[in-house]
C-alpha cells in the first residue's frame, strides 16, 4: 500500500438521530409517528448513545483512531423556538472533551438531516428566515465547542434526494407515500406544509437546493465569525458515476444534475466532504449493473468507487477532500472486512497520484437507525443487540484497526488543510 500522509485523519462517522435515541423534538421523530409514514419503524431508543458517550468513545479509541465525526442535534439544543437547552449544550461540550481525552479529534456536523419540529412546521428550509435560524444555531454551537474542533461540516448530504431520485433508488409508490406522509404531518402540526431535508418531494428539490445553499453559506459565515481558522465544508453524497461505451452523455448529465452544483459551491470552502457507497454504471439506454456480487444497496461491490468519487470531487471543487463517510451495507461482515482494505489501498494510490485527501471516516461505528429503512441495513463495525443495546465488535473492526496501525507506521508528508479566508 502507498503511504498515507502523516497527519491523515483516521476516524468513524456517526449521527445524532441515528444513534442517540429519543430525539422527540425533531422533525424526523414527528414523521416516524405520522400516519401514514414512509418509515418502516420508529427510531425509539436508537443505540442509546446519548447516555453511552464514554463507552462508545472507548470503542472508537480502542480501534486506534484519532478522529470522531458526530452531529449536534439542533432539536435537543433548541427544542422550542428561542428556547435554548443549556443541558444539551453541556452534553455536547462533554462529548468533545471526552473525545479529546482519548486522542480523538472532533469533527462536528451542524445538521445531519434532522431539525427541530418547530422549524419544520414553520416552513423548514424554505421559510424566509431559515438560513438565519440555522446560522443562530451554528453560532451558539461554535461559541461553545469551536475552540476544540478539528473541522466542521455544515450540512450532511444536501444533494441526497437528487441522487435517490436520479438513480431510481426509491420506487414511484415511495414518492406517493412521502407526499401523503408530509401532508398528514402538516395537518397534524396545523401548518400549510411540513418538510424534512431527507424526505423532500421531487417537485420541491430545486427549491430545497437553493435554500440549503443559502443555509450552508450562512452557517459557514456564522462558524467563521466565532473561529476564523476553523476548517468548514459541506458533505455531499457522491456515487462514482461511470460509463460503458455510449453511456458518457448519461453519466455527465447525472453528474451535472446531482453533484456539480455543490462541488462548485464547495470552491468557497476549506474542503469538501465526500460520502461514497457505490459505483453506478451508465449505458447508452439506461443504467447498467455489471455481473458480480452486489451490496445491500443493489450496486456492484467495487472497492475502486471511493477513489473515483474522491478524484471527481477534487477535480470539480478544486479544494481538498475529507472522506466524511464510506462503508458497505451488508449482512455478511466478511464482505466488509475485505472491502475496507481494498478500498483504502486504492485511495492511497489516488493520494499518491496527487489528489489531496485530509482523512477518512468510516460509516459507521454501530449498526444504527438508517432512516426510512429502520434497523434493517447493517453498516456498523459493531453490532447492537436491539433488546439490550449491547455492542459486539465485528471482524471488520479488527481489520480497520490493524489497517490504520499499518498505515500510521508507514506514513509520511502532510495532508493538513489551510482554511480559506473568512
Amino acid at each position: 500500500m502507498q503511504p498515507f500522509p502523516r497527519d491523515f485523519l483516521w476516524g468513524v462517522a456517526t449521527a445524532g438521530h441515528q444513534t442517540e435515541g429519543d430525539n422527540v423534538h425533531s422533525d424526523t421523530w414527528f414523521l416516524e409517528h405520522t400516519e401514514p409514514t414512509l418509515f418502516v419503524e420508529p427510531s425509539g431508543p436508537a443505540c442509546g448513545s446519548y447516555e453511552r458517550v464514554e463507552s462508545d468513545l472507548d470503542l472508537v479509541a480502542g480501534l486506534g483512531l484519532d478522529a470522531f465525526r458526530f452531529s449536534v442535534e439542533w432539536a435537543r439544543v433548541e427544542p422550542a423556538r428561542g428556547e435554548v437547552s443549556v443541558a444539551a449544550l453541556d452534553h455536547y461540550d462533554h462529548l468533545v472533551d471526552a473525545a479529546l481525552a482519548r486522542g480523538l479529534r472532533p469533527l462536528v456536523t451542524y445538521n445531519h438531516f434532522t431539525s427541530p419540529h418547530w422549524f419544520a412546521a414553520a416552513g423548514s428550509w424554505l421559510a424566509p428566515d431559515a438560513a438565519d435560524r440555522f446560522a443562530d444555531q451554528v453560532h451558539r454551537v461554535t461559541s461553545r465547542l469551536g475552540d476544540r474542533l478539528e473541522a466542521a461540516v455544515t450540512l450532511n448530504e444536501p444533494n441526497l434526494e437528487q441522487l435517490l431520485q436520479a438513480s431510481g433508488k426509491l420506487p414511484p409508490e415511495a414518492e406517493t407515500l412521502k407526499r401523503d406522509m408530509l401532508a398528514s404531518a402538516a395537518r397534524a402540526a396545523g401548518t400549510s406544509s411540513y418538510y424534512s431535508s431527507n424526505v423532500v418531494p421531487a417537485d420541491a428539490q430545486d427549491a430545497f437546493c437553493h435554500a440549503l445553499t443559502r443555509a450552508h453559506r450562512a452557517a459557514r459565515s456564522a462558524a467563521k465569525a466565532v473561529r476564523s481558522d476553523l476548517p468548514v465544508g459541506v458533505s455531499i453524497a457522491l456515487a462514482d458515476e461511470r460509463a460503458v461505451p455510449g453511456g458518457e452523455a448519461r453519466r455527465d448529465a447525472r453528474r451535472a444534475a446531482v453533484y456539480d452544483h455543490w462541488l462548485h459551491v464547495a470552491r468557497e470552502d476549506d474542503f469538501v466532504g465526500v460520502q461514497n457507497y457505490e459505483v453506478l454504471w451508465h449505458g447508452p439506454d439506461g443504467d447498467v449493473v455489471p455481473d458480480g456480487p452486489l451490496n445491500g444497496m443493489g450496486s456492484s461491490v467495487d472497492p475502486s468507487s471511493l477513489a473515483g468519487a474522491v478524484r471527481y470531487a477534487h477535480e470539480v471543487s478544486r479544494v481538498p477532500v475529507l472522506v466524511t463517510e464510506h462503508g458497505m451495507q451488508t449482512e455478511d461482515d466478511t464482505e466488509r472486512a475485505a472491502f475496507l482494505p481494498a478500498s483504502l489501498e486504492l485511495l492511497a494510490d489516488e493520494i499518491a497520484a496527487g489528489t489531496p485527501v485530509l482523512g477518512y471516516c468510516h460509516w459507521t461505528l454501530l449498526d444504527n437507525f438508517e432512516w426510512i429503512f429502520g434497523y434493517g441495513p447493517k453498516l456498523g463495525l459493531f453490532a447492537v443487540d436491539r433488546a439490550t443495546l449491547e455492542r459486539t465488535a465485528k471482524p471488520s473492526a479488527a481489520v480497520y484497526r490493524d489497517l490504520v496501525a499499518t498505515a500510521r507506521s508507514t506514513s509520511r508528508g502532510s495532508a493538513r488543510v489551510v482554511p480559506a479566508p473568512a
Side-chain angles (χ1 to χ4, degrees):
M1 184 183 291
Q2 291 278 356
F4 281 86
R6 185 172 294 110
D7 51 8
F8 191 84
L9 293 169
W10 291 103
V12 290
T14 64
H17 189 86
Q18 294 178 264
T19 60
E20 289 177 349
D22 299 320
N23 192 21
V24 299
H25 298 294
S26 70
D27 51 3
T28 303
W29 182 277
F30 193 75
L31 292 174
E32 292 164 16
H33 295 85
T34 296
E35 181 61 40
T37 183
L38 189 60
F39 292 82
V40 299
E41 59 185 322
S43 55
C47 300
S49 292
Y50 199 80
E51 293 79 23
R52 292 170 172 80
V53 168
E54 300 276 352
S55 56
D56 280 352
L57 288 173
D58 285 343
L59 298 180
V60 181
L63 298 177
L65 306 180
D66 61 11
F68 180 67
R69 181 182 173 219
F70 67 101
S71 69
V72 171
E73 278 300 313
W74 185 2
R76 294 189 188 276
V77 174
E78 192 177 9
R81 184 168 182 154
E83 178 187 309
V84 177
S85 170
V86 174
L89 288 171
D90 288 346
H91 168 84
Y92 292 111
D93 192 275
H94 171 67
L95 186 157
V96 167
D97 283 346
L100 290 169
R102 291 162 174 79
L104 302 170
R105 287 178 274 188
L107 307 170
V108 74
T109 305
Y110 292 116
N111 185 274
H112 198 117
F113 292 139
T114 48
S115 301
H117 168 65
W118 64 261
F119 180 79
S124 186
W125 297 100
L126 303 185
D129 64 345
D132 292 337
R133 298 289 71 73
F134 183 46
D136 289 344
Q137 164 69 359
V138 170
H139 188 275
R140 71 173 62 96
V141 170
T142 312
S143 296
R144 187 68 181 269
L145 314 178
D147 60 323
R148 288 154 290 153
L149 296 176
E150 181 72 16
V153 173
T154 57
L155 300 168
N156 183 78
E157 294 184 339
N159 68 324
L160 177 62
E161 287 291 303
Q162 285 95 334
L163 177 57
L164 294 176
Q165 186 77 19
S167 59
K169 292 293 184 182
L170 296 177
E173 54 269 26
E175 179 70 17
T176 301
L177 181 54
K178 180 193 298 182
R179 291 175 178 278
D180 291 344
M181 175 185 68
L182 293 172
S184 178
R187 289 192 297 270
T191 59
S192 60
S193 67
Y194 200 96
Y195 294 110
S196 185
S197 61
N198 61 345
V199 282
V200 178
D203 61 1
Q205 287 178 12
D206 285 347
F208 261 76
C209 180
H210 293 306
L212 289 169
T213 301
R214 290 193 298 271
H216 161 67
R217 287 171 169 152
R220 183 188 60 218
S221 295
K224 294 281 191 178
V226 176
R227 183 184 154 195
S228 61
D229 67 337
L230 177 65
V232 179
V234 63
S235 73
I236 67 168
L238 208 163
D240 184 17
E241 306 280 351
R242 300 183 192 169
V244 300
E248 293 85 358
R250 292 188 77 258
R251 176 203 62 199
D252 294 347
R254 172 77 58 78
R255 286 173 167 174
V258 177
Y259 314 119
D260 287 358
H261 167 80
W262 285 103
L263 291 173
H264 284 94
V265 168
R267 291 177 181 177
E268 307 163 11
D269 299 334
D270 301 307
F271 65 90
V272 61
V274 166
Q275 310 202 164
N276 170 260
Y277 292 92
E278 56 186 343
V279 58
L280 299 175
W281 286 91
H282 299 267
D285 302 314
D287 294 343
V288 177
V289 180
D291 294 335
L294 303 178
N295 58 30
M297 300 171 74
S299 51
S300 299
V301 176
D302 190 334
S304 66
S305 65
L306 177 60
V310 162
R311 183 185 317 118
Y312 184 73
H314 175 64
E315 286 175 353
V316 179
S317 71
R318 305 173 190 165
V319 295
V321 172
L322 175 62
V323 179
T324 42
E325 288 184 22
H326 171 258
M328 182 182 188
Q329 181 182 325
T330 179
E331 294 276 354
D332 183 356
D333 189 65
T334 61
E335 294 180 341
R336 182 179 295 103
F339 181 73
L340 248 175
S343 299
L344 289 170
E345 181 173 355
L346 293 169
L347 180 64
D349 291 342
E350 186 62 33
I351 295 170
T355 300
V357 183
L358 305 173
Y360 172 89
C361 290
H362 185 76
W363 182 270
T364 177
L365 181 66
L366 309 169
D367 286 340
N368 61 20
F369 180 73
E370 287 293 339
W371 307 110
I372 64 172
F373 304 105
Y375 292 100
K378 300 294 187 289
L379 292 101
L381 297 170
F382 290 79
V384 178
D385 185 294
R386 293 306 319 148
T388 66
L389 303 184
E390 180 181 358
R391 284 79 158 123
T392 302
K394 301 178 186 179
S396 57
V399 168
Y400 187 32
R401 178 199 65 206
D402 294 347
L403 189 152
V404 170
T406 300
R408 279 221 186 87
S409 70
T410 59
S411 62
R412 66 186 184 195
S414 175
R416 196 52 69 230
V417 61
V418 176

